């Protein structure tokens, strides 16, 4: 009887350890996939520049096109669909790795048309997420959050990732 109880106790402990490990792996994968998809999306958004201003040597983002390119890229790479046309939030499509909606909590465009920018380098501060970054050129910054998927029951953890894409000005050397 003693051996039977010991085997049951060890088996139960191993099952709990496996469940915890699988959920932890799901969180790590979700964080990695979200970061990769977010980096691609901000890069695609940064390609939407005003070419007339670029001819004058100034990088100004076409804000409407950049925002749409960001959303389209993030949705395509993450297998998500917008909640509705005017929303930044997205829901997963069937077959998506993610089980919960994406919430775009920040989408900032920092260029010479930004009211707070008086040239570069520019010190960016996000008060909610304790982000303090100095950008040397025009930049697009995005922060997205969702919940990590669960293979087994358990409390979902928030996955929040930030990414930015900057144009660097050469030193002229």
């Amino acid at each position: 009887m003693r051996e039977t109880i010991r085997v049951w106790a060890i088996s139960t402990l191993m099952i709990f350890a496996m469940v915890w490990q699988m959920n932890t792996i799901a969180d790590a994968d979700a964080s990695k996939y979200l970061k990769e998809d977010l980096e691609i999306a901000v890069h695609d958004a940064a390609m939407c520049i005003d070419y007339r201003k670029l001819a004058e040597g100034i990088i100004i983002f076409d804000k409407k096109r950049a925002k749409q390119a960001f959303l389209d890229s993030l949705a395509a790479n993450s297998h998500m669909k917008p909640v509705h046309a005017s929303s930044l939030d997205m829901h997963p499509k069937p077959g998506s790795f993610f089980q919960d909606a994406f919430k775009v909590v920040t989408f900032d465009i920092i260029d010479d048309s930004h009211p707070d920018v008086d040239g570069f380098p520019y010190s960016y501060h996000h008060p909610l997420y304790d982000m303090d970054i100095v950008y040397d050129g025009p930049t697009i910054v995005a922060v997205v959050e969702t919940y990590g998927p669960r293979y087994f029951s358990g409390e979902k953890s928030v996955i929040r990732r930030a990414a930015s894409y900057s144009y660097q000005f050469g030193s002229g050397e």
Side-chain angles (χ1 to χ4, degrees), residues 68 71-72 75 80-85 87-91 93:
Q68 193 59 50
L71 293 172
D72 291 346
M80 304 293 270
K81 61 184 175 194
V83 174
H84 51 77
S87 175
L88 290 175
D89 299 339
M90 300 178 194
H91 288 294
K93 291 180 181 177

Side-chain angles (χ1 to χ4, degrees), residues 42-56:
V42 294
H43 171 269
D44 291 348
M47 298 297 105
C48 300
I49 56 177
D50 183 340
Y51 291 104
R52 289 174 284 165
K53 292 291 186 182
L54 184 61
E56 299 171 17

Side-chain angles (χ1 to χ4, degrees), residues 65-136:
R65 280 185 33 229
K67 187 176 184 180
Q68 193 59 50
F70 171 79
L71 293 172
D72 291 346
S73 179
L74 187 61
N77 288 310
S78 300
H79 303 288
M80 304 293 270
K81 61 184 175 194
V83 174
H84 51 77
S86 63
S87 175
L88 290 175
D89 299 339
M90 300 178 194
H91 288 294
K93 291 180 181 177
S96 175
F97 174 78
F98 296 96
Q99 299 170 347
D100 293 284
F102 279 9
K103 182 178 180 183
V104 180
V105 293
T106 299
F107 182 77
D108 288 334
I109 295 176
I110 303 164
D111 59 14
D112 288 322
S113 68
H114 192 281
D116 296 336
V117 174
D118 187 26
F120 290 96
Y122 174 74
S123 181
Y124 177 79
H125 173 72
H126 195 288
L128 293 177
Y129 301 112
D130 198 30
M131 291 173 50
D132 290 306
I133 304 169
V134 175
Y135 291 113
D136 292 327

Side-chain angles (χ1 to χ4, degrees), residues 169-173:
F169 295 118
S171 61
E173 296 175 15

